[in-house]
Structures are given as structure tokens and as C-alpha cells.
Amino acid sequence: MTDDTLTVAGRKVCPWVGSDPVYLDYHDHEWGIPVHDDRQFFELLSLEAMQAGLSWITILRRRDAFREAFDDFYPDKIALYDESDITRLMQNAAIIRNRRKIEAIIRNAKAFLEVQKSHDTFDAFLWSYAPDGTIVNRWENIRDIPARSPLSEQLSHDLKQLGFSFVGPTIMYAFLQASGVIDDHLASCDRATPGQS
């Protein structure tokens, strides 16, 4: 077995955490933990869209600014955004000022509300892709973790059909990890589910 974990403060954690406390907090309290709150799902979808082409730590460090700028990621509020809101967001130096990504979040809010109408909740829609619960992988080496999977490809395809954008298979794999549909903590990580390593 290859021990590919990093030791931080006497604990073994996944090596992508590095020495950054923001990453450590995210690793310990969010990554791979199942989400069932629709607002939180929409926040993660939006942040993953913003992350495209950037590092995740850049997004996490600006998370509070994103929440303030985007009405705490309530999709019913964002779905009503108009050109004046886009202008306001494009002038906000605290967030990522990418017009295509901002427009995608607004478009995705509208699509998100449609999913809620047809499935009652986005939670019900998303977890239908993992009816047996979180998909637990216990990779031994960080290089074994895929960038995409058949599940992320299917989810990407389906969301695009529903009108979402910035939901490619790689972005969706990261979203599935962030929302706990997939748990990719390494087998040697202290966050690995007991009995699953």
C-alpha cells in the first residue's frame, strides 16, 4: 500500500490540502460529506462554475465575497437578476469578474428552479444518481483519483439538456466530491470512513 497522505498537526490528510488552513477546513468539514440542502447545492454548482480554469483555493478564499455578491446563492433571487445586476457584479473586485460565468450562474439559477419544480427538490434529483448513498472510493494514491467518471459524464449531459452551463464532466466530478455524492478521501486519510479503507 502506498501512503500518499500528508501529515498536518499529527493527522494524516489527503495531500492536496498542503499547508493551507482554508483547504484543511474544507477537507475536514465539507469535502466528501453528503449535502441535502438545495441552497448549498446551488452554491457549490456556482462556485464550481467560477472555478473553471482557476484553482479551487482562489474560490474558497473569496467564498464570503461570492455569498455577499450573489444573495447567499438563493437561486430564486439570482434567477431574477438583470443587466444591472451583471454590471454590479462585473464591478465587484472581490469576486471573479467573468461575464460568461456570471451569466451562467443566472441561467443556472433558472434551470435549478425548473429542476425543483419537476423533482420537488434538487436534492431528490441529484441523489437519484446515487440511490444507494455516497459512492465511497478508497484510493491509495492521489494520482489514482480520476478527473471525471461515467457518473459525472452522465450528470453533465443531463444538466446541459436541462439548460445548465459550465457543467462539464470534470467540473461535475468536483461538484460530486464537494457535495458528498462521491467520497474520495484516500484510504490512509484520517477522514476515511471507518471500515471503508
Side-chain angles (χ1 to χ4, degrees):
M1 176 175 166
T2 302
D3 186 353
D4 198 37
T5 47
L6 176 74
T7 301
V8 176
R11 294 178 47 231
K12 287 185 175 182
V13 299
C14 297
W16 56 263
V17 172
S19 59
D20 196 301
V22 174
Y23 258 166
L24 182 62
D25 184 68
Y26 175 72
H27 169 272
D28 286 354
H29 301 109
E30 289 189 73
W31 198 64
I33 296 175
V35 169
H36 291 287
D37 176 77
D38 274 15
R39 192 216 57 82
Q40 191 175 352
F41 279 127
F42 188 70
E43 177 176 331
L44 291 172
L45 272 173
S46 300
L47 294 178
E48 293 291 355
M50 278 290 176
Q51 185 271 339
L54 302 170
S55 67
W56 187 233
I57 193 64
T58 298
I59 303 303
L60 289 179
R61 286 180 178 148
R62 298 180 185 212
R63 194 174 194 176
D64 287 340
F66 278 120
R67 286 172 173 163
E68 183 176 349
F70 283 93
D71 284 302
D72 209 25
F73 291 107
Y74 281 99
D76 55 326
K77 294 182 179 181
I78 296 172
L80 299 175
Y81 282 9
D82 58 19
E83 190 62 37
S84 66
D85 292 292
I86 295 173
T87 299
R88 168 182 60 83
L89 292 164
M90 287 295 293
Q91 293 172 349
N92 187 339
I95 64 169
I96 306 300
R97 293 179 289 179
N98 180 306
R99 187 179 181 94
R100 287 183 61 234
K101 292 179 179 180
I102 290 169
E103 290 174 343
I105 290 173
I106 298 168
R107 187 164 47 252
N108 289 352
K110 296 172 183 176
F112 193 93
L113 295 178
E114 290 302 312
V115 170
Q116 287 181 319
K117 285 180 186 175
S118 60
H119 291 79
D120 191 35
T121 63
F122 188 86
D123 178 62
F125 166 79
L126 185 65
W127 283 98
S128 70
Y129 288 84
D132 296 325
T134 298
I135 299 162
V136 178
N137 298 312
R138 285 296 170 250
W139 312 104
E140 294 186 1
N141 191 299
I142 193 169
R143 290 172 292 281
D144 296 332
I145 299 176
R148 57 196 286 173
S149 69
L151 175 56
S152 77
E153 291 167 1
Q154 184 64 56
L155 179 60
S156 171
H157 172 270
D158 294 349
L159 288 177
K160 287 176 183 176
Q161 292 292 308
L162 293 168
F164 288 79
S165 57
F166 278 91
V167 289
T170 300
I171 292 174
M172 284 303 92
Y173 194 82
F175 170 71
L176 290 167
Q177 292 171 313
S179 59
V181 176
I182 292 176
D183 177 354
D184 273 343
H185 285 285
L186 297 185
S188 51
C189 173
D190 287 351
R191 290 290 302 161
T193 306
Q196 296 290 340
S197 58

